[in-house]
Amino acid sequence: MKLTVWTYEGPPHVGAMRVATGMKKLHYVLHAPQGDTYADLLFTMIERRDHRPPVTYTTFQARDLGADTAGLFKKACQDAYDRFQPEAIIVGASCTAELIQDDPGGLAETMGLPIPVIPLELPSYQRKENFGADETFFQLVKHLAKPQTKTERVSCNIIGPTALGFRHRDDVAEITNLLFELGIEVNVTAPMGATPSDIAQMGKAHFNVLLYPETGETAARYCEKEFDQPYTKIVPIGAGATHDFITEVRALSGSTASLDSQALRQTWWSRSVDSTYLTGKRVFIFGDGTHVKAAARIARDEMGFEVAGLGCYNREYARDIRAIAKEFGVEALITDDYLLVEKTIETLQPEMILGTQMERHIGKRLGIPCAVISAPVHVQDFPARYSPQMGFEGANVIFDTWIHPLVMGLEEHLLHMFREDFEFNDAAGPSHHGGHQPSGTASVQVPAAPEQSLALSTGGDVAIWLAEAEKELKKIPFFVRGKARRNTETYATSQGLSEISVDTLYEAKAFYAR
Amino acid sequence: MTEHMPLPPATGCRTAPVLKERGQREVFCGLTGIIWLHRKIQDAFFLVVGSRTCAHLLQSAAGVMIFAEPRFGTAILEEADLAGLKDAQAELDRTVEELLARRPDIRQLFLVGSCPSEVIKLDLNRAAERLTQTYAPRVRVLEYSGSGIETTFTQGEDACLAAMVPVLPSTDARELIVIGALPDVVEDQMVALLTDLGIGPLRILPARTIDDEIAVGPNTVFALTQPFLGDTHAALIRRGARHIAAPFPFGEEGTTAWLSAITEEFNIPRALFDRVTEAPRRRARQAISQAAVPLNDKSVFFFPDSQLEIPLARFLTRECGMTALEVGSPYIHDALHGPDLDLLPAGPQISEGQDVDLQLDRCRAAHPDLTVCGLGLANPLEADGFATKWAIELVFTPVHFYEQAGDLAALFARPLRRKSLLKVAAE
């Protein structure tokens, strides 16, 4: 048993739903009690889909358990086929149905439906959403795709995008266009947008572009082995990674077409003097493995940030993330425990968080700006405008997204100089953001549960702040105050001091000067 | 009754044939009630014993994520718990110990059963008894089921309140208990009305904290503010209490009828009733008449969701000038819904349970002006040109009693107003 407050990933059948909902003419018959239908609203509300997910829930109740739940499943399966006329059906069990062991796969097989029926084994009590999506797509490819003659012109499949993915819609458009400019045709994009008969055609491509390893890697490996299709290992998030991806694609395709990278503004935006203030900002990065890997590289090499810590919630990528952490000289945090992530951020006191919607809320509590880089998704992660993360436009979008929560360069200086101005003070927050307290009532931003969190962060061995020093600390603008407090306390402890005076504060400042 | 009370319809819906369906249900399970109960009962923690799906549902159910540290969590069952490698009861003890150490402010702990915990027959009743002994007197531990195989959406609140009834102390006092979790502001208005009517002592279940005294016995009478409290109703009757049957307090008519039934029970003079209710009734009628303009002569179709459907259909047809085409409810209890069905003019198809695909077919054929449905259906129907009202908002918004009557009409009117405002079509 594991006590959980918030989860980063849903159960594996939600992963299967992401594949089914992204596709067309595929239906998912899910053996599940009522209530599991909540998952429909993830798609209709968060992603604003205008169709119900193609999922039939058998909706068994307590009174059915002693009776014929298997019969209920078969009826639901037949009704779904008759009503929706899909090209293929996937069948499986949600967590509760797994316990009653009706074997949906076996039951569906005996029905003799005239279309492929693909059973899914998704262990609900061991695995999670990303596994569910990856495994479902792999089973679809394994059952439907066959070796085929390659297309005459060089072509590839785009693998991995699903429904409810973080910016998948726009990433696919961006990369499809990039491949087009390189003279490479996209044979099939899957799962998102593909029909089962499209998947049957996947073998025609020369190679595969794997955009989302979390949801497509098993299928990509299978295609490499069975259809002799190598796949790309670099995920084109960030300017550097996009260039590397292009090099990799050229090697796989033999393309020598020239590329116009004029649209890539991020590199100049980052070099322009206005961005000087970004230098050495300490960031904490957390999300899914793939996005964290990409963000770490962008943060250090393309923004000039200092990576103070990083981690991922999907254990499948623990090894990659530990390797990156080692390269960056930080500790990797591999956990899906939201409270532990919060505690780590509290301890590290970064100047910015690059995280998920969950870390955005941690940031709100702790008064640390946050930009969202990864799933789990929120309705805000489905903007109406074109907003990819991948390719050149993706690099531009990321630059804008990351600096938006920060106090801008000159403003930062002015806050340092005139910190007690009644309208333009640090408690008012960045001036380009609305929704702050009116001046006069403005007070220092306090985390939502101060007693608890302070009790956590200050152990018994921490020096006491003298009143004067505390007052001086308050003069330091909010966006560096946490760091100043932490540095001073660390310094005091290292010096064996039991009290912190104004002098200690400035001693520490000099000590940590950079 | 006073002069403004319209007469009941010649034929109501109480004896109308009910279309009973059983098939795919597009509804939440009872765990969803935790979303509002954990805010209402301020010293309680709700520990779901379930799967990752349960945790994911709670996180997603409201369509938003509420990231203050919540007073609910999930003890997620893992492979070792299911394979019998670990003693589930011992695991539960360990989890509760971890939780209570973290949250010393918690005075009431609800162990909430889920589909998986029920299928593996994990005995939460025994666990609750044992844990109560361990943590008494600081913490009281109760259990109820919010599972999808037992409960639909708002039945979770019913199960929670019903679980509290057996542990209420006994009394012979003549007291009124009002049952149902209401937003604090609405509850305060209700208390003020009943106090002005001279009715008391008044108790409310659920109370905001464990220290609020509620007792029950043969002289207790109770009124329900929510139409989904069937099990709590039964549990109170088992304790000897008597139900004051009435329409539910939605809209001016419903609120007046509800208060009137209580007033009669307590033999309050009619003149006092009129004096206390006159001003709020006038305000409610005025607010409804303004807010309901877009609803006049429009038709409405209810998908089953919260069991609020029948009283709301009564409100929309009797006070907002709408015509109901179908009124679907997950369950219909005559003892609770009868008085509202009496007032609902004959005509609509009354349906109980659901087969969502068949019901969507009926809805499309009926082509209502407004469809009340769950979040999973709303956008797909909107995309087909149907104006929809998300049913969950009716559970999350203050809508009871006089001062909210106009807001309630406005909630239904907003989708229609919006539809008429937007000038650029989807395609």
Side-chain angles (χ1 to χ4, degrees):
Chain A
M1 233 174 251
K2 189 174 186 318
L3 181 59
T4 306
V5 185
W6 299 115
T7 68
Y8 285 91
E9 287 183 73
H13 71 260
V14 167
M17 281 185 72
R18 286 177 53 188
V19 170
T21 307
M23 286 180 61
K24 295 184 167 70
K25 297 186 182 171
L26 176 72
H27 202 84
Y28 185 13
V29 180
L30 181 63
H31 206 16
Q34 73 172 347
D36 284 5
T37 50
Y38 82 89
D40 282 0
L41 76 86
L42 302 172
F43 300 91
T44 60
M45 295 304 290
I46 297 179
E47 203 176 4
R48 302 178 205 255
R49 285 200 170 249
D50 60 3
H51 280 83
R52 289 167 62 209
V55 183
T56 294
Y57 303 81
T58 56
T59 315
F60 56 84
Q61 293 177 290
R63 61 167 184 228
D64 301 317
L65 289 180
D68 187 16
T69 49
L72 205 61
F73 175 84
K74 283 163 94 166
K75 180 175 184 306
C77 211
Q78 187 65 48
D79 286 353
Y81 173 74
D82 294 343
R83 176 174 283 266
F84 299 105
Q85 296 284 311
E87 287 181 4
I89 286 182
I90 51 178
V91 299
S94 78
C95 50
T96 307
E98 187 181 329
L99 298 172
I100 59 177
Q101 299 183 335
D102 274 337
D103 183 22
L107 289 171
E109 207 177 322
T110 63
M111 293 173 61
L113 294 173
I115 51 167
V117 176
I118 301 161
L120 300 174
E121 295 288 338
L122 306 174
S124 304
Y125 298 91
Q126 295 168 26
R127 306 304 297 267
K128 290 178 241 171
E129 178 179 334
N130 281 335
F131 167 83
D134 185 73
E135 172 68 15
T136 301
F137 182 48
F138 163 62
Q139 290 298 338
L140 281 165
V141 172
K142 196 175 139 196
H143 280 82
L144 300 174
K146 298 282 173 284
Q148 275 173 311
T149 318
K150 305 284 182 229
T151 54
E152 216 162 293
R153 281 185 59 195
V154 62
S155 67
C156 68
N157 300 312
I158 292 180
I159 288 187
T162 64
L164 211 67
F166 185 73
R167 305 295 169 84
H168 289 194
R169 174 197 75 193
D170 298 341
D171 286 347
V172 166
E174 183 72 15
I175 297 306
T176 302
N177 192 46
L178 180 71
L179 292 165
F180 174 79
E181 286 183 36
L182 286 167
I184 299 158
E185 221 164 293
V186 174
N187 177 49
V188 174
T189 299
M192 195 166 80
T195 61
S197 36
D198 290 335
I199 289 191
Q201 303 295 314
M202 279 176 65
K204 286 183 178 169
H206 293 239
F207 67 102
N208 284 322
V209 167
L210 175 62
L211 291 188
Y212 305 101
E214 268 81 357
T215 50
E217 189 160 1
T218 307
R221 284 177 195 277
Y222 176 82
C223 293
E224 183 173 49
K225 207 173 85 203
E226 298 295 320
F227 311 141
D228 196 22
Q229 290 170 332
Y231 66 92
T232 55
K233 309 290 191 302
I234 295 162
V235 176
I237 302 179
T242 300
H243 283 302
D244 292 351
F245 171 79
I246 291 165
T247 307
E248 192 183 22
V249 168
R250 285 192 195 283
L252 289 172
S253 64
S255 162
T256 53
S258 68
L259 256 189
D260 178 6
S261 62
Q262 283 237 314
L264 177 61
R265 285 176 287 270
Q266 177 271 326
T267 43
W268 166 244
W269 256 239
S270 206
R271 277 181 162 70
S272 71
V273 291
D274 185 77
S275 297
T276 312
Y277 74 100
L278 300 174
T279 311
K281 280 225 182 284
R282 297 174 68 255
V283 295
F284 177 80
I285 309 175
F286 197 82
D288 70 34
T290 296
H291 285 85
V292 165
K293 253 179 6 187
R297 180 173 175 190
I298 299 169
R300 183 186 62 185
D301 299 343
E302 297 169 33
M303 301 296 275
F305 291 160
E306 178 193 333
V307 176
L310 56 82
C312 70
Y313 56 76
N314 47 345
R315 270 173 202 287
E316 293 91 341
Y317 287 78
R319 189 191 295 176
D320 289 15
I321 293 301
R322 288 209 174 90
I324 298 259
K326 202 170 166 202
E327 184 194 328
F328 280 68
V330 293
E331 199 76 29
L333 178 67
I334 314 293
T335 185
D336 63 350
D337 182 347
Y338 169 77
L339 298 172
L340 182 59
V341 176
E342 181 174 49
K343 210 168 144 186
T344 307
I345 293 173
E346 220 166 343
T347 312
L348 286 172
Q349 288 284 349
E351 290 163 273
M352 185 183 193
I353 305 165
L354 302 171
T356 71
Q357 290 291 343
M358 319 251 281
E359 283 68 46
R360 196 166 66 84
H361 285 269
I362 295 174
K364 246 166 41 185
R365 271 189 58 172
L366 301 177
I368 302 171
C370 178
V372 175
I373 61 158
S374 153
V377 289
H378 185 275
V379 67
Q380 290 184 347
D381 297 318
F382 294 91
R385 67 179 184 278
Y386 183 60
S387 188
Q389 298 285 292
M390 293 185 177
F392 295 141
E393 187 57 20
N396 297 335
V397 167
I398 286 174
F399 180 87
D400 290 348
T401 310
W402 289 15
I403 66 161
H404 178 77
L406 296 169
V407 177
M408 286 186 276
L410 274 177
E411 184 175 356
E412 190 174 294
H413 288 301
L414 284 169
L415 283 173
H416 270 288
M417 290 166 69
F418 309 111
R419 56 187 69 111
E420 273 149 24
D421 184 294
F422 70 97
E423 312 182 291
F424 184 66
N425 56 38
D426 63 23
S431 64
H432 59 291
H433 293 187
H436 293 282
Q437 291 163 305
S439 58
T441 62
S443 61
V444 179
Q445 221 173 333
V446 179
E451 277 73 29
Q452 258 190 330
S453 54
L454 285 180
L456 284 175
S457 64
T458 54
D461 55 344
V462 169
I464 294 161
W465 285 78
L466 296 175
E468 281 299 304
E470 189 80 49
K471 213 171 129 195
E472 195 72 13
L473 180 70
K474 292 215 173 99
K475 294 183 191 167
I476 295 169
F478 72 96
F479 44 85
V480 284
R481 193 180 297 136
K483 184 172 71 166
R485 177 186 282 278
R486 179 171 155 273
N487 281 352
T488 309
E489 285 171 359
T490 312
Y491 176 78
T493 309
S494 74
Q495 300 294 307
L497 301 173
S498 60
E499 290 178 338
I500 293 170
S501 66
V502 176
D503 277 341
T504 322
L505 180 68
Y506 285 110
E507 291 285 344
K509 183 169 190 256
F511 182 82
Y512 290 105
R514 54 167 188 212
Chain B
M1 287 283 152
T2 50
E3 73 275 28
H4 288 297
M5 208 65 165
L7 293 169
T11 320
C13 285
R14 195 162 189 171
T15 52
V18 175
L19 173 65
K20 296 194 180 187
E21 281 192 308
R22 96 147 285 217
Q24 178 175 331
R25 290 185 160 201
E26 192 74 22
V27 291
F28 288 130
C29 65
L31 295 180
T32 323
I34 292 171
I35 304 279
W36 63 87
L37 285 171
H38 89 284
R39 287 285 142 200
K40 182 72 199 173
I41 312 177
Q42 295 174 5
D43 54 3
F45 192 99
F46 293 81
L47 180 65
V48 177
V49 183
S51 67
R52 177 164 300 281
T53 313
C54 307
H56 196 238
L57 157 87
L58 283 174
Q59 183 159 325
S60 319
V64 294
M65 299 193 229
I66 311 154
F67 275 100
E69 185 168 333
R71 288 188 296 271
F72 61 79
T74 309
I76 294 186
L77 294 161
E78 294 172 307
E79 199 63 16
D81 301 304
L82 300 172
L85 299 176
K86 289 182 182 167
D87 175 1
Q89 296 284 347
E91 280 292 291
L92 196 53
D93 287 355
R94 183 185 57 74
T95 308
V96 168
E97 191 184 345
E98 183 187 335
L99 172 71
L100 292 177
R102 203 186 143 72
R103 297 299 302 261
D105 51 328
I106 295 305
R107 304 278 315 281
Q108 317 183 56
L109 175 65
F110 290 94
L111 303 177
V112 189
S114 66
C115 300
S117 79
E118 276 174 27
V119 169
I120 64 168
K121 300 196 166 26
L122 184 56
D123 190 346
L124 293 183
N125 194 16
R126 187 158 69 93
E129 281 172 15
R130 182 179 65 245
L131 287 163
T132 294
Q133 281 170 11
T134 310
Y135 294 100
R138 184 167 73 90
V139 185
R140 182 179 73 188
V141 185
L142 294 174
E143 63 89 21
Y144 71 90
S145 169
S147 84
I149 58 176
E150 296 276 6
T151 60
T152 300
F153 192 25
T154 47
Q155 283 183 302
E157 175 177 329
D158 186 26
C160 173
L161 301 190
M164 296 167 85
V165 172
V167 298
L168 295 178
S170 297
T171 179
D172 283 328
R174 175 162 168 78
E175 291 183 341
L176 171 66
I177 309 183
V178 179
I179 320 286
L182 293 176
D184 292 344
V185 56
V186 178
E187 189 177 296
D188 293 345
Q189 288 170 13
M190 175 192 76
V191 171
L193 277 169
L194 289 170
T195 309
D196 290 348
L197 287 167
I199 293 165
L202 168 64
R203 316 287 181 194
I204 293 166
L205 184 75
R208 293 181 200 182
T209 70
I210 196 172
D211 297 323
D212 294 347
E213 282 171 23
I214 311 174
V216 64
N219 294 316
T220 306
V221 288
F222 69 93
L224 304 174
T225 56
Q226 300 283 20
F228 45 73
L229 299 171
D231 285 356
T232 313
H233 170 270
L236 284 162
I237 287 174
R238 278 198 295 275
R239 292 286 308 265
R242 194 157 47 77
H243 178 216
I244 304 172
F248 286 90
F250 298 107
E252 188 269 330
E253 183 183 33
T255 305
T256 302
W258 188 86
L259 286 172
S260 182
I262 296 172
T263 314
E264 277 161 29
E265 169 68 32
F266 282 83
N267 297 316
I268 305 298
R270 201 70 219 173
L272 175 63
F273 180 83
D274 289 344
R275 196 163 70 238
V276 169
T277 57
E278 195 214 328
R281 287 183 71 183
R282 183 182 39 74
R283 284 199 296 272
R285 278 196 299 268
Q286 187 191 340
I288 294 169
S289 72
Q290 288 160 3
V293 172
L295 301 176
N296 289 328
D297 302 322
K298 297 290 198 310
S299 59
V300 60
F301 189 108
F302 280 91
F303 279 78
D305 194 69
S306 61
Q307 296 187 48
L308 291 168
E309 296 81 9
I310 290 168
L312 291 177
R314 185 262 301 151
F315 168 69
L316 292 175
T317 51
R318 303 258 306 165
E319 299 187 52
C320 301
M322 296 191 89
T323 309
L325 301 176
E326 175 162 341
V327 183
S329 177
Y331 297 99
I332 299 173
H333 291 274
D334 189 66
L336 274 62
H337 303 136
D340 279 296
L341 283 167
D342 278 337
L343 291 176
L344 181 62
Q349 173 70 61
I350 307 292
S351 62
E352 184 180 15
Q354 190 174 32
D355 186 323
V356 70
D357 288 314
L358 296 182
Q359 196 170 24
L360 279 166
D361 289 346
R362 290 200 300 276
C363 179
R364 293 204 160 96
H367 215 91
D369 296 307
L370 183 66
T371 304
V372 185
C373 62
L375 295 173
L377 300 178
N379 266 337
L381 282 168
E382 289 278 352
D384 281 351
F386 291 83
T388 62
K389 169 81 229 86
W390 324 342
I392 194 168
E393 210 174 347
L394 302 162
V395 182
F396 279 108
T397 315
V399 292
H400 290 73
F401 293 99
Y402 292 126
E403 314 300 350
Q404 283 66 239
D407 301 343
L408 180 58
L411 272 184
F412 290 100
R414 194 181 302 142
L416 296 176
R417 275 177 52 217
R418 184 159 185 78
K419 203 175 174 186
S420 68
L421 281 172
L422 299 179
K423 299 300 181 211
V424 183
E427 298 304 320

